[in-house]
PDB file of all heavy atoms in Angstrom:
ATOM      1  N   ILE Z   1      82.461  40.082  -2.181  1.00  0.00           N
ATOM      2  CA  ILE Z   1      81.581  39.340  -1.276  1.00  0.00           C
ATOM      3  C   ILE Z   1      82.311  38.180  -0.615  1.00  0.00           C
ATOM      4  O   ILE Z   1      82.226  38.021   0.625  1.00  0.00           O
ATOM      5  CB  ILE Z   1      80.331  38.808  -2.021  1.00  0.00           C
ATOM      6  CG1 ILE Z   1      79.450  39.986  -2.534  1.00  0.00           C
ATOM      7  CG2 ILE Z   1      79.464  37.931  -1.100  1.00  0.00           C
ATOM      8  CD1 ILE Z   1      78.306  39.548  -3.406  1.00  0.00           C
ATOM      9  N   ASN Z   2      83.074  37.418  -1.385  1.00  0.00           N
ATOM     10  CA  ASN Z   2      83.764  36.304  -0.827  1.00  0.00           C
ATOM     11  C   ASN Z   2      84.824  36.753   0.089  1.00  0.00           C
ATOM     12  O   ASN Z   2      85.064  36.072   1.109  1.00  0.00           O
ATOM     13  CB  ASN Z   2      84.318  35.461  -1.984  1.00  0.00           C
ATOM     14  CG  ASN Z   2      83.256  34.552  -2.627  1.00  0.00           C
ATOM     15  OD1 ASN Z   2      82.449  33.971  -1.975  1.00  0.00           O
ATOM     16  ND2 ASN Z   2      83.317  34.516  -3.959  1.00  0.00           N
ATOM     17  N   SER Z   3      85.480  37.834  -0.202  1.00  0.00           N
ATOM     18  CA  SER Z   3      86.518  38.383   0.703  1.00  0.00           C
ATOM     19  C   SER Z   3      85.863  38.788   2.027  1.00  0.00           C
ATOM     20  O   SER Z   3      86.492  38.555   3.128  1.00  0.00           O
ATOM     21  CB  SER Z   3      87.249  39.621   0.110  1.00  0.00           C
ATOM     22  OG  SER Z   3      87.946  39.210  -1.088  1.00  0.00           O
ATOM     23  N   ILE Z   4      84.695  39.365   1.961  1.00  0.00           N
ATOM     24  CA  ILE Z   4      83.991  39.828   3.194  1.00  0.00           C
ATOM     25  C   ILE Z   4      83.587  38.634   4.060  1.00  0.00           C
ATOM     26  O   ILE Z   4      83.862  38.557   5.247  1.00  0.00           O
ATOM     27  CB  ILE Z   4      82.781  40.643   2.801  1.00  0.00           C
ATOM     28  CG1 ILE Z   4      83.205  41.990   2.156  1.00  0.00           C
ATOM     29  CG2 ILE Z   4      81.898  40.909   4.046  1.00  0.00           C
ATOM     30  CD1 ILE Z   4      83.945  42.931   3.024  1.00  0.00           C
ATOM     31  N   ILE Z   5      82.885  37.643   3.459  1.00  0.00           N
ATOM     32  CA  ILE Z   5      82.369  36.571   4.264  1.00  0.00           C
ATOM     33  C   ILE Z   5      83.495  35.624   4.785  1.00  0.00           C
ATOM     34  O   ILE Z   5      83.266  34.845   5.786  1.00  0.00           O
ATOM     35  CB  ILE Z   5      81.329  35.682   3.528  1.00  0.00           C
ATOM     36  CG1 ILE Z   5      81.904  35.085   2.293  1.00  0.00           C
ATOM     37  CG2 ILE Z   5      80.125  36.555   3.152  1.00  0.00           C
ATOM     38  CD1 ILE Z   5      80.922  34.235   1.498  1.00  0.00           C
ATOM     39  N   GLN Z   6      84.667  35.675   4.159  1.00  0.00           N
ATOM     40  CA  GLN Z   6      85.815  34.899   4.640  1.00  0.00           C
ATOM     41  C   GLN Z   6      86.666  35.741   5.620  1.00  0.00           C
ATOM     42  O   GLN Z   6      87.710  35.303   6.093  1.00  0.00           O
ATOM     43  CB  GLN Z   6      86.669  34.457   3.480  1.00  0.00           C
ATOM     44  CG  GLN Z   6      85.923  33.329   2.677  1.00  0.00           C
ATOM     45  CD  GLN Z   6      86.603  33.053   1.325  1.00  0.00           C
ATOM     46  OE1 GLN Z   6      87.651  33.597   1.061  1.00  0.00           O
ATOM     47  NE2 GLN Z   6      85.929  32.321   0.513  1.00  0.00           N
ATOM     48  N   GLY Z   7      86.200  36.938   5.967  1.00  0.00           N
ATOM     49  CA  GLY Z   7      86.869  37.760   6.994  1.00  0.00           C
ATOM     50  C   GLY Z   7      88.138  38.490   6.488  1.00  0.00           C
ATOM     51  O   GLY Z   7      88.986  38.821   7.248  1.00  0.00           O
ATOM     52  N   ASN Z   8      88.198  38.742   5.141  1.00  0.00           N
ATOM     53  CA  ASN Z   8      89.351  39.468   4.601  1.00  0.00           C
ATOM     54  C   ASN Z   8      88.952  40.689   3.844  1.00  0.00           C
ATOM     55  O   ASN Z   8      89.168  40.815   2.640  1.00  0.00           O
ATOM     56  CB  ASN Z   8      90.109  38.518   3.606  1.00  0.00           C
ATOM     57  CG  ASN Z   8      90.664  37.229   4.274  1.00  0.00           C
ATOM     58  OD1 ASN Z   8      91.148  37.276   5.364  1.00  0.00           O
ATOM     59  ND2 ASN Z   8      90.425  36.106   3.629  1.00  0.00           N
ATOM     60  N   PRO Z   9      88.323  41.673   4.540  1.00  0.00           N
ATOM     61  CA  PRO Z   9      87.950  42.884   3.825  1.00  0.00           C
ATOM     62  C   PRO Z   9      89.111  43.696   3.282  1.00  0.00           C
ATOM     63  O   PRO Z   9      89.008  44.464   2.366  1.00  0.00           O
ATOM     64  CB  PRO Z   9      87.151  43.687   4.912  1.00  0.00           C
ATOM     65  CG  PRO Z   9      87.740  43.187   6.190  1.00  0.00           C
ATOM     66  CD  PRO Z   9      88.073  41.717   6.005  1.00  0.00           C
ATOM     67  N   GLU Z  10      90.290  43.529   3.917  1.00  0.00           N
ATOM     68  CA  GLU Z  10      91.479  44.266   3.445  1.00  0.00           C
ATOM     69  C   GLU Z  10      91.826  43.935   2.018  1.00  0.00           C
ATOM     70  O   GLU Z  10      92.281  44.789   1.266  1.00  0.00           O
ATOM     71  CB  GLU Z  10      92.707  43.949   4.390  1.00  0.00           C
ATOM     72  CG  GLU Z  10      92.506  44.285   5.813  1.00  0.00           C
ATOM     73  CD  GLU Z  10      91.765  43.219   6.592  1.00  0.00           C
ATOM     74  OE1 GLU Z  10      91.478  42.142   6.015  1.00  0.00           O
ATOM     75  OE2 GLU Z  10      91.424  43.463   7.755  1.00  0.00           O
ATOM     76  N   LYS Z  11      91.533  42.727   1.640  1.00  0.00           N
ATOM     77  CA  LYS Z  11      91.897  42.315   0.268  1.00  0.00           C
ATOM     78  C   LYS Z  11      91.043  43.082  -0.760  1.00  0.00           C
ATOM     79  O   LYS Z  11      91.540  43.437  -1.841  1.00  0.00           O
ATOM     80  CB  LYS Z  11      91.629  40.831   0.116  1.00  0.00           C
ATOM     81  CG  LYS Z  11      92.010  40.215  -1.245  1.00  0.00           C
ATOM     82  CD  LYS Z  11      91.753  38.734  -1.275  1.00  0.00           C
ATOM     83  CE  LYS Z  11      92.144  38.154  -2.698  1.00  0.00           C
ATOM     84  NZ  LYS Z  11      91.835  36.683  -2.735  1.00  0.00           N
ATOM     85  N   ALA Z  12      89.786  43.354  -0.390  1.00  0.00           N
ATOM     86  CA  ALA Z  12      88.926  44.107  -1.286  1.00  0.00           C
ATOM     87  C   ALA Z  12      89.231  45.572  -1.300  1.00  0.00           C
ATOM     88  O   ALA Z  12      88.849  46.288  -2.272  1.00  0.00           O
ATOM     89  CB  ALA Z  12      87.481  43.857  -0.932  1.00  0.00           C
ATOM     90  N   LEU Z  13      89.838  46.047  -0.277  1.00  0.00           N
ATOM     91  CA  LEU Z  13      90.082  47.499  -0.059  1.00  0.00           C
ATOM     92  C   LEU Z  13      91.498  47.945  -0.298  1.00  0.00           C
ATOM     93  O   LEU Z  13      91.807  49.134  -0.188  1.00  0.00           O
ATOM     94  CB  LEU Z  13      89.608  47.945   1.338  1.00  0.00           C
ATOM     95  CG  LEU Z  13      88.178  47.624   1.722  1.00  0.00           C
ATOM     96  CD1 LEU Z  13      87.972  47.971   3.172  1.00  0.00           C
ATOM     97  CD2 LEU Z  13      87.184  48.432   0.824  1.00  0.00           C
ATOM     98  N   GLU Z  14      92.412  47.014  -0.607  1.00  0.00           N
ATOM     99  CA  GLU Z  14      93.829  47.415  -0.617  1.00  0.00           C
ATOM    100  C   GLU Z  14      94.218  48.399  -1.732  1.00  0.00           C
ATOM    101  O   GLU Z  14      95.193  49.083  -1.652  1.00  0.00           O
ATOM    102  CB  GLU Z  14      94.690  46.123  -0.775  1.00  0.00           C
ATOM    103  CG  GLU Z  14      94.411  45.276  -1.983  1.00  0.00           C
ATOM    104  CD  GLU Z  14      95.081  43.935  -1.934  1.00  0.00           C
ATOM    105  OE1 GLU Z  14      95.710  43.649  -0.925  1.00  0.00           O
ATOM    106  OE2 GLU Z  14      94.999  43.160  -2.923  1.00  0.00           O
ATOM    107  N   ASN Z  15      93.437  48.439  -2.806  1.00  0.00           N
ATOM    108  CA  ASN Z  15      93.764  49.327  -3.957  1.00  0.00           C
ATOM    109  C   ASN Z  15      92.930  50.587  -3.966  1.00  0.00           C
ATOM    110  O   ASN Z  15      92.664  51.167  -5.015  1.00  0.00           O
ATOM    111  CB  ASN Z  15      93.512  48.576  -5.313  1.00  0.00           C
ATOM    112  CG  ASN Z  15      94.531  47.432  -5.460  1.00  0.00           C
ATOM    113  OD1 ASN Z  15      95.668  47.551  -5.074  1.00  0.00           O
ATOM    114  ND2 ASN Z  15      94.069  46.378  -6.069  1.00  0.00           N
ATOM    115  N   ASN Z  16      92.488  51.040  -2.803  1.00  0.00           N
ATOM    116  CA  ASN Z  16      91.648  52.228  -2.777  1.00  0.00           C
ATOM    117  C   ASN Z  16      92.454  53.462  -3.182  1.00  0.00           C
ATOM    118  O   ASN Z  16      93.643  53.622  -2.880  1.00  0.00           O
ATOM    119  CB  ASN Z  16      91.015  52.437  -1.362  1.00  0.00           C
ATOM    120  CG  ASN Z  16      92.054  52.771  -0.310  1.00  0.00           C
ATOM    121  OD1 ASN Z  16      92.476  53.906  -0.152  1.00  0.00           O
ATOM    122  ND2 ASN Z  16      92.506  51.763   0.437  1.00  0.00           N
ATOM    123  N   ILE Z  17      91.781  54.335  -3.909  1.00  0.00           N
ATOM    124  CA  ILE Z  17      92.410  55.566  -4.560  1.00  0.00           C
ATOM    125  C   ILE Z  17      92.860  56.528  -3.465  1.00  0.00           C
ATOM    126  O   ILE Z  17      93.765  57.380  -3.718  1.00  0.00           O
ATOM    127  CB  ILE Z  17      91.439  56.175  -5.524  1.00  0.00           C
ATOM    128  CG1 ILE Z  17      92.137  57.166  -6.460  1.00  0.00           C
ATOM    129  CG2 ILE Z  17      90.342  56.911  -4.739  1.00  0.00           C
ATOM    130  CD1 ILE Z  17      93.006  56.491  -7.519  1.00  0.00           C
ATOM    131  N   PHE Z  18      92.299  56.415  -2.236  1.00  0.00           N
ATOM    132  CA  PHE Z  18      92.699  57.374  -1.211  1.00  0.00           C
ATOM    133  C   PHE Z  18      93.974  56.959  -0.443  1.00  0.00           C
ATOM    134  O   PHE Z  18      94.382  57.759   0.488  1.00  0.00           O
ATOM    135  CB  PHE Z  18      91.502  57.541  -0.215  1.00  0.00           C
ATOM    136  CG  PHE Z  18      90.210  57.826  -0.925  1.00  0.00           C
ATOM    137  CD1 PHE Z  18      89.235  56.800  -1.033  1.00  0.00           C
ATOM    138  CD2 PHE Z  18      89.944  59.093  -1.431  1.00  0.00           C
ATOM    139  CE1 PHE Z  18      88.066  57.097  -1.670  1.00  0.00           C
ATOM    140  CE2 PHE Z  18      88.760  59.389  -2.060  1.00  0.00           C
ATOM    141  CZ  PHE Z  18      87.783  58.318  -2.229  1.00  0.00           C
ATOM    142  N   SER Z  19      94.541  55.837  -0.778  1.00  0.00           N
ATOM    143  CA  SER Z  19      95.777  55.331  -0.194  1.00  0.00           C
ATOM    144  C   SER Z  19      95.617  55.239   1.383  1.00  0.00           C
ATOM    145  O   SER Z  19      96.577  55.441   2.137  1.00  0.00           O
ATOM    146  CB  SER Z  19      96.929  56.265  -0.531  1.00  0.00           C
ATOM    147  OG  SER Z  19      97.157  56.291  -1.877  1.00  0.00           O
ATOM    148  N   LEU Z  20      94.402  54.854   1.822  1.00  0.00           N
ATOM    149  CA  LEU Z  20      94.227  54.655   3.259  1.00  0.00           C
ATOM    150  C   LEU Z  20      94.626  53.242   3.688  1.00  0.00           C
ATOM    151  O   LEU Z  20      94.549  52.299   2.865  1.00  0.00           O
ATOM    152  CB  LEU Z  20      92.749  54.871   3.617  1.00  0.00           C
ATOM    153  CG  LEU Z  20      92.141  56.273   3.340  1.00  0.00           C
ATOM    154  CD1 LEU Z  20      90.649  56.311   3.624  1.00  0.00           C
ATOM    155  CD2 LEU Z  20      92.835  57.301   4.277  1.00  0.00           C
ATOM    156  N   ASP Z  21      95.079  53.139   4.888  1.00  0.00           N
ATOM    157  CA  ASP Z  21      95.538  51.849   5.378  1.00  0.00           C
ATOM    158  C   ASP Z  21      94.396  50.950   5.811  1.00  0.00           C
ATOM    159  O   ASP Z  21      93.766  51.202   6.836  1.00  0.00           O
ATOM    160  CB  ASP Z  21      96.533  52.112   6.573  1.00  0.00           C
ATOM    161  CG  ASP Z  21      97.122  50.798   7.125  1.00  0.00           C
ATOM    162  OD1 ASP Z  21      96.902  49.709   6.397  1.00  0.00           O
ATOM    163  OD2 ASP Z  21      97.762  50.837   8.172  1.00  0.00           O
ATOM    164  N   PRO Z  22      94.091  49.869   5.067  1.00  0.00           N
ATOM    165  CA  PRO Z  22      92.981  49.011   5.407  1.00  0.00           C
ATOM    166  C   PRO Z  22      93.180  48.156   6.578  1.00  0.00           C
ATOM    167  O   PRO Z  22      92.221  47.407   7.012  1.00  0.00           O
ATOM    168  CB  PRO Z  22      92.775  48.155   4.124  1.00  0.00           C
ATOM    169  CG  PRO Z  22      94.106  48.105   3.539  1.00  0.00           C
ATOM    170  CD  PRO Z  22      94.802  49.410   3.867  1.00  0.00           C
ATOM    171  N   SER Z  23      94.359  48.236   7.188  1.00  0.00           N
ATOM    172  CA  SER Z  23      94.533  47.377   8.392  1.00  0.00           C
ATOM    173  C   SER Z  23      93.902  48.055   9.636  1.00  0.00           C
ATOM    174  O   SER Z  23      93.780  47.403  10.706  1.00  0.00           O
ATOM    175  CB  SER Z  23      96.043  47.124   8.638  1.00  0.00           C
ATOM    176  OG  SER Z  23      96.718  48.397   8.841  1.00  0.00           O
ATOM    177  N   LYS Z  24      93.568  49.307   9.572  1.00  0.00           N
ATOM    178  CA  LYS Z  24      92.975  50.068  10.678  1.00  0.00           C
ATOM    179  C   LYS Z  24      91.417  49.822  10.656  1.00  0.00           C
ATOM    180  O   LYS Z  24      90.830  50.011   9.556  1.00  0.00           O
ATOM    181  CB  LYS Z  24      93.316  51.512  10.622  1.00  0.00           C
ATOM    182  CG  LYS Z  24      94.801  51.822  10.778  1.00  0.00           C
ATOM    183  CD  LYS Z  24      95.084  53.326  10.693  1.00  0.00           C
ATOM    184  CE  LYS Z  24      96.550  53.565  10.849  1.00  0.00           C
ATOM    185  NZ  LYS Z  24      96.880  54.998  10.764  1.00  0.00           N
ATOM    186  N   THR Z  25      90.854  49.556  11.784  1.00  0.00           N
ATOM    187  CA  THR Z  25      89.447  49.185  11.866  1.00  0.00           C
ATOM    188  C   THR Z  25      88.574  50.345  11.319  1.00  0.00           C
ATOM    189  O   THR Z  25      87.578  50.133  10.566  1.00  0.00           O
ATOM    190  CB  THR Z  25      89.052  48.845  13.311  1.00  0.00           C
ATOM    191  OG1 THR Z  25      89.831  47.790  13.716  1.00  0.00           O
ATOM    192  CG2 THR Z  25      87.585  48.434  13.326  1.00  0.00           C
ATOM    193  N   TRP Z  26      88.802  51.608  11.742  1.00  0.00           N
ATOM    194  CA  TRP Z  26      87.907  52.685  11.392  1.00  0.00           C
ATOM    195  C   TRP Z  26      87.992  52.953   9.804  1.00  0.00           C
ATOM    196  O   TRP Z  26      87.004  53.320   9.238  1.00  0.00           O
ATOM    197  CB  TRP Z  26      88.269  53.998  12.162  1.00  0.00           C
ATOM    198  CG  TRP Z  26      89.608  54.593  11.778  1.00  0.00           C
ATOM    199  CD1 TRP Z  26      90.845  54.357  12.326  1.00  0.00           C
ATOM    200  CD2 TRP Z  26      89.796  55.589  10.728  1.00  0.00           C
ATOM    201  NE1 TRP Z  26      91.791  55.131  11.717  1.00  0.00           N
ATOM    202  CE2 TRP Z  26      91.186  55.873  10.721  1.00  0.00           C
ATOM    203  CE3 TRP Z  26      88.962  56.200   9.771  1.00  0.00           C
ATOM    204  CZ2 TRP Z  26      91.751  56.795   9.804  1.00  0.00           C
ATOM    205  CZ3 TRP Z  26      89.533  57.092   8.928  1.00  0.00           C
ATOM    206  CH2 TRP Z  26      90.930  57.429   8.937  1.00  0.00           C
ATOM    207  N   VAL Z  27      89.179  52.716   9.267  1.00  0.00           N
ATOM    208  CA  VAL Z  27      89.331  52.839   7.829  1.00  0.00           C
ATOM    209  C   VAL Z  27      88.486  51.817   7.129  1.00  0.00           C
ATOM    210  O   VAL Z  27      87.754  52.154   6.126  1.00  0.00           O
ATOM    211  CB  VAL Z  27      90.832  52.700   7.387  1.00  0.00           C
ATOM    212  CG1 VAL Z  27      90.937  52.672   5.888  1.00  0.00           C
ATOM    213  CG2 VAL Z  27      91.645  53.882   7.981  1.00  0.00           C
ATOM    214  N   VAL Z  28      88.491  50.574   7.629  1.00  0.00           N
ATOM    215  CA  VAL Z  28      87.729  49.519   7.068  1.00  0.00           C
ATOM    216  C   VAL Z  28      86.200  49.847   7.113  1.00  0.00           C
ATOM    217  O   VAL Z  28      85.516  49.684   6.122  1.00  0.00           O
ATOM    218  CB  VAL Z  28      87.962  48.148   7.749  1.00  0.00           C
ATOM    219  CG1 VAL Z  28      86.985  47.097   7.291  1.00  0.00           C
ATOM    220  CG2 VAL Z  28      89.413  47.682   7.505  1.00  0.00           C
ATOM    221  N   LEU Z  29      85.781  50.314   8.310  1.00  0.00           N
ATOM    222  CA  LEU Z  29      84.364  50.664   8.498  1.00  0.00           C
ATOM    223  C   LEU Z  29      83.962  51.776   7.520  1.00  0.00           C
ATOM    224  O   LEU Z  29      82.830  51.655   6.904  1.00  0.00           O
ATOM    225  CB  LEU Z  29      84.101  51.059   9.898  1.00  0.00           C
ATOM    226  CG  LEU Z  29      84.149  49.963  10.943  1.00  0.00           C
ATOM    227  CD1 LEU Z  29      84.064  50.564  12.348  1.00  0.00           C
ATOM    228  CD2 LEU Z  29      83.057  48.988  10.758  1.00  0.00           C
ATOM    229  N   VAL Z  30      84.736  52.802   7.389  1.00  0.00           N
ATOM    230  CA  VAL Z  30      84.384  53.922   6.511  1.00  0.00           C
ATOM    231  C   VAL Z  30      84.364  53.534   5.081  1.00  0.00           C
ATOM    232  O   VAL Z  30      83.417  53.812   4.333  1.00  0.00           O
ATOM    233  CB  VAL Z  30      85.390  55.131   6.714  1.00  0.00           C
ATOM    234  CG1 VAL Z  30      85.195  56.179   5.690  1.00  0.00           C
ATOM    235  CG2 VAL Z  30      85.245  55.711   8.085  1.00  0.00           C
ATOM    236  N   LEU Z  31      85.378  52.778   4.631  1.00  0.00           N
ATOM    237  CA  LEU Z  31      85.390  52.398   3.216  1.00  0.00           C
ATOM    238  C   LEU Z  31      84.283  51.403   2.858  1.00  0.00           C
ATOM    239  O   LEU Z  31      83.666  51.530   1.769  1.00  0.00           O
ATOM    240  CB  LEU Z  31      86.829  51.727   2.912  1.00  0.00           C
ATOM    241  CG  LEU Z  31      88.042  52.772   2.932  1.00  0.00           C
ATOM    242  CD1 LEU Z  31      89.310  51.908   2.666  1.00  0.00           C
ATOM    243  CD2 LEU Z  31      87.862  53.801   1.847  1.00  0.00           C
ATOM    244  N   LEU Z  32      84.033  50.452   3.771  1.00  0.00           N
ATOM    245  CA  LEU Z  32      82.953  49.517   3.519  1.00  0.00           C
ATOM    246  C   LEU Z  32      81.582  50.168   3.510  1.00  0.00           C
ATOM    247  O   LEU Z  32      80.701  49.874   2.727  1.00  0.00           O
ATOM    248  CB  LEU Z  32      82.969  48.379   4.547  1.00  0.00           C
ATOM    249  CG  LEU Z  32      84.119  47.382   4.429  1.00  0.00           C
ATOM    250  CD1 LEU Z  32      84.049  46.341   5.512  1.00  0.00           C
ATOM    251  CD2 LEU Z  32      84.143  46.714   3.108  1.00  0.00           C
ATOM    252  N   ALA Z  33      81.413  51.123   4.399  1.00  0.00           N
ATOM    253  CA  ALA Z  33      80.171  51.901   4.436  1.00  0.00           C
ATOM    254  C   ALA Z  33      79.953  52.662   3.164  1.00  0.00           C
ATOM    255  O   ALA Z  33      78.847  52.744   2.604  1.00  0.00           O
ATOM    256  CB  ALA Z  33      80.124  52.861   5.645  1.00  0.00           C
ATOM    257  N   GLY Z  34      81.069  53.206   2.615  1.00  0.00           N
ATOM    258  CA  GLY Z  34      81.068  53.893   1.277  1.00  0.00           C
ATOM    259  C   GLY Z  34      80.617  52.947   0.204  1.00  0.00           C
ATOM    260  O   GLY Z  34      79.829  53.328  -0.727  1.00  0.00           O
ATOM    261  N   LEU Z  35      81.080  51.656   0.226  1.00  0.00           N
ATOM    262  CA  LEU Z  35      80.664  50.663  -0.769  1.00  0.00           C
ATOM    263  C   LEU Z  35      79.161  50.451  -0.717  1.00  0.00           C
ATOM    264  O   LEU Z  35      78.442  50.316  -1.743  1.00  0.00           O
ATOM    265  CB  LEU Z  35      81.398  49.348  -0.552  1.00  0.00           C
ATOM    266  CG  LEU Z  35      82.903  49.340  -0.933  1.00  0.00           C
ATOM    267  CD1 LEU Z  35      83.429  47.992  -0.683  1.00  0.00           C
ATOM    268  CD2 LEU Z  35      83.071  49.742  -2.374  1.00  0.00           C
ATOM    269  N   VAL Z  36      78.617  50.350   0.498  1.00  0.00           N
ATOM    270  CA  VAL Z  36      77.185  50.158   0.661  1.00  0.00           C
ATOM    271  C   VAL Z  36      76.409  51.352   0.108  1.00  0.00           C
ATOM    272  O   VAL Z  36      75.416  51.129  -0.603  1.00  0.00           O
ATOM    273  CB  VAL Z  36      76.808  49.926   2.152  1.00  0.00           C
ATOM    274  CG1 VAL Z  36      75.271  49.888   2.388  1.00  0.00           C
ATOM    275  CG2 VAL Z  36      77.438  48.678   2.707  1.00  0.00           C
ATOM    276  N   LEU Z  37      76.833  52.526   0.394  1.00  0.00           N
ATOM    277  CA  LEU Z  37      76.120  53.738  -0.072  1.00  0.00           C
ATOM    278  C   LEU Z  37      76.196  53.919  -1.589  1.00  0.00           C
ATOM    279  O   LEU Z  37      75.177  54.328  -2.194  1.00  0.00           O
ATOM    280  CB  LEU Z  37      76.673  54.952   0.637  1.00  0.00           C
ATOM    281  CG  LEU Z  37      76.476  55.099   2.146  1.00  0.00           C
ATOM    282  CD1 LEU Z  37      77.191  56.290   2.670  1.00  0.00           C
ATOM    283  CD2 LEU Z  37      74.968  55.185   2.436  1.00  0.00           C
ATOM    284  N   PHE Z  38      77.319  53.592  -2.183  1.00  0.00           N
ATOM    285  CA  PHE Z  38      77.533  53.959  -3.599  1.00  0.00           C
ATOM    286  C   PHE Z  38      77.268  52.794  -4.575  1.00  0.00           C
ATOM    287  O   PHE Z  38      77.139  52.994  -5.751  1.00  0.00           O
ATOM    288  CB  PHE Z  38      78.924  54.478  -3.795  1.00  0.00           C
ATOM    289  CG  PHE Z  38      79.150  55.838  -3.291  1.00  0.00           C
ATOM    290  CD1 PHE Z  38      79.966  56.060  -2.156  1.00  0.00           C
ATOM    291  CD2 PHE Z  38      78.565  56.975  -3.916  1.00  0.00           C
ATOM    292  CE1 PHE Z  38      80.139  57.370  -1.587  1.00  0.00           C
ATOM    293  CE2 PHE Z  38      78.752  58.235  -3.375  1.00  0.00           C
ATOM    294  CZ  PHE Z  38      79.534  58.416  -2.241  1.00  0.00           C
ATOM    295  N   LYS Z  39      77.150  51.560  -4.054  1.00  0.00           N
ATOM    296  CA  LYS Z  39      76.887  50.452  -5.008  1.00  0.00           C
ATOM    297  C   LYS Z  39      75.563  50.653  -5.698  1.00  0.00           C
ATOM    298  O   LYS Z  39      75.492  50.419  -6.951  1.00  0.00           O
ATOM    299  CB  LYS Z  39      76.859  49.142  -4.228  1.00  0.00           C
ATOM    300  CG  LYS Z  39      76.587  47.875  -5.069  1.00  0.00           C
ATOM    301  CD  LYS Z  39      77.660  47.658  -6.110  1.00  0.00           C
ATOM    302  CE  LYS Z  39      77.415  46.384  -6.873  1.00  0.00           C
ATOM    303  NZ  LYS Z  39      78.459  46.095  -7.929  1.00  0.00           N
ATOM    304  N   ILE Z  40      74.511  51.004  -5.027  1.00  0.00           N
ATOM    305  CA  ILE Z  40      73.216  51.175  -5.675  1.00  0.00           C
ATOM    306  C   ILE Z  40      73.206  52.357  -6.607  1.00  0.00           C
ATOM    307  O   ILE Z  40      72.532  52.392  -7.640  1.00  0.00           O
ATOM    308  CB  ILE Z  40      72.049  51.274  -4.601  1.00  0.00           C
ATOM    309  CG1 ILE Z  40      70.702  51.344  -5.326  1.00  0.00           C
ATOM    310  CG2 ILE Z  40      72.259  52.458  -3.716  1.00  0.00           C
ATOM    311  CD1 ILE Z  40      70.421  50.283  -6.295  1.00  0.00           C
ATOM    312  N   VAL Z  41      74.026  53.395  -6.278  1.00  0.00           N
ATOM    313  CA  VAL Z  41      74.171  54.565  -7.134  1.00  0.00           C
ATOM    314  C   VAL Z  41      74.764  54.110  -8.473  1.00  0.00           C
ATOM    315  O   VAL Z  41      74.290  54.420  -9.592  1.00  0.00           O
ATOM    316  CB  VAL Z  41      74.979  55.702  -6.492  1.00  0.00           C
ATOM    317  CG1 VAL Z  41      75.187  56.817  -7.488  1.00  0.00           C
ATOM    318  CG2 VAL Z  41      74.334  56.135  -5.228  1.00  0.00           C
TER     319      VAL Z  41
END
């Protein structure tokens, strides 16, 4: 949460298992959307 509100989503996503590059905007959007969908699960 703190990484997000401080504008550093890459920090929260850098260790993703899919080895996607978090510096790309579409990657950030997809990975973050995944967090929203799966957190409640």
Side-chain angles (χ1 to χ4, degrees):
I1 295 174
N2 283 317
S3 297
I4 293 295
I5 61 178
Q6 289 165 10
N8 301 316
E10 299 83 7
K11 186 178 178 182
L13 302 172
E14 58 190 4
N15 294 323
N16 66 84
I17 195 73
F18 308 104
S19 300
L20 296 173
D21 182 9
S23 62
K24 296 180 180 178
T25 302
W26 71 268
V27 172
V28 170
L29 288 173
V30 170
L31 291 178
L32 289 179
L35 289 181
V36 173
L37 292 175
F38 287 107
K39 179 65 175 181
I40 183 53
V41 177

